[in-house]
Amino acid sequence: MAYTILVADDEPAIRTMLEVILSADGHEIIAVQDGKSALEYLQAHTPDAMLLDVKMPFMTGFEICSRVKRIKRLKNTPVLLLTGLDDDQTRDQAKMVGADDLVHKPVSGKHLRGRVMQLIDSRRSGVV
């Protein structure tokens, strides 16, 4: 089954790479360059999952996730935060804002695709 996945990352090469990886399974990828654009898209759309870079201009992935998890229509949408940081502070902040997973750069395509599908499928089947 194909899903709609919002990808927000300020690096064009990473956006393109994520789009290629996730579209390999037939998913529709909505790629935006920053947190502000992500929120603008989310005002009128409900994706099946979100992959948000932690460090972006205007608004971080943490801030977007925190907002999304407080909106009834979006709160059950899986949010994966993408980061180059692998430290306790980043992991703690991801948990605090309600992220469903933290994905570390460099990204393994197979792992990412599997994790996205697992999170979407578990939400659809009512298992959280």
Side-chain angles (χ1 to χ4, degrees):
M1 179 176 227
Y3 296 113
T4 300
I5 302 170
L6 173 64
V7 171
D9 196 299
D10 59 321
E11 293 290 330
I14 293 178
R15 268 197 320 272
T16 299
M17 178 194 66
L18 294 171
E19 195 167 354
V20 169
I21 290 169
L22 295 170
S23 65
D25 292 328
H27 303 305
E28 178 185 1
I29 309 304
I30 308 300
V32 298
Q33 72 276 4
D34 57 47
K36 183 179 170 191
S37 299
L39 284 182
E40 287 170 1
Y41 172 81
L42 291 170
Q43 286 177 349
H45 301 88
T46 305
D48 295 296
M50 294 176 230
L51 186 57
L52 310 172
D53 187 21
V54 166
K55 290 189 175 185
M56 290 186 288
F58 306 114
M59 188 170 291
T60 68
F62 292 129
E63 292 170 306
I64 298 165
C65 182
S66 178
R67 288 182 181 206
V68 161
K69 294 299 182 175
R70 293 187 303 233
I71 299 170
K72 187 174 182 177
R73 172 178 57 87
L74 299 169
K75 71 179 181 180
N76 291 321
T77 302
V79 176
L80 293 87
L81 293 177
L82 183 65
T83 182
L85 304 171
D86 189 9
D87 58 70
D88 289 339
Q89 182 181 357
T90 302
R91 283 188 287 279
D92 291 346
Q93 193 166 358
K95 286 178 188 171
M96 191 172 73
V97 298
D100 296 279
D101 203 356
L102 192 60
V103 178
H104 298 282
K105 297 176 188 178
V107 176
S108 157
K110 184 177 179 180
H111 171 75
L112 178 63
R113 287 171 40 214
R115 190 65 185 126
V116 168
M117 289 305 298
Q118 182 182 26
L119 285 168
I120 292 172
D121 291 344
S122 69
R123 291 292 163 94
R124 297 226 175 238
S125 66
V127 178
V128 179

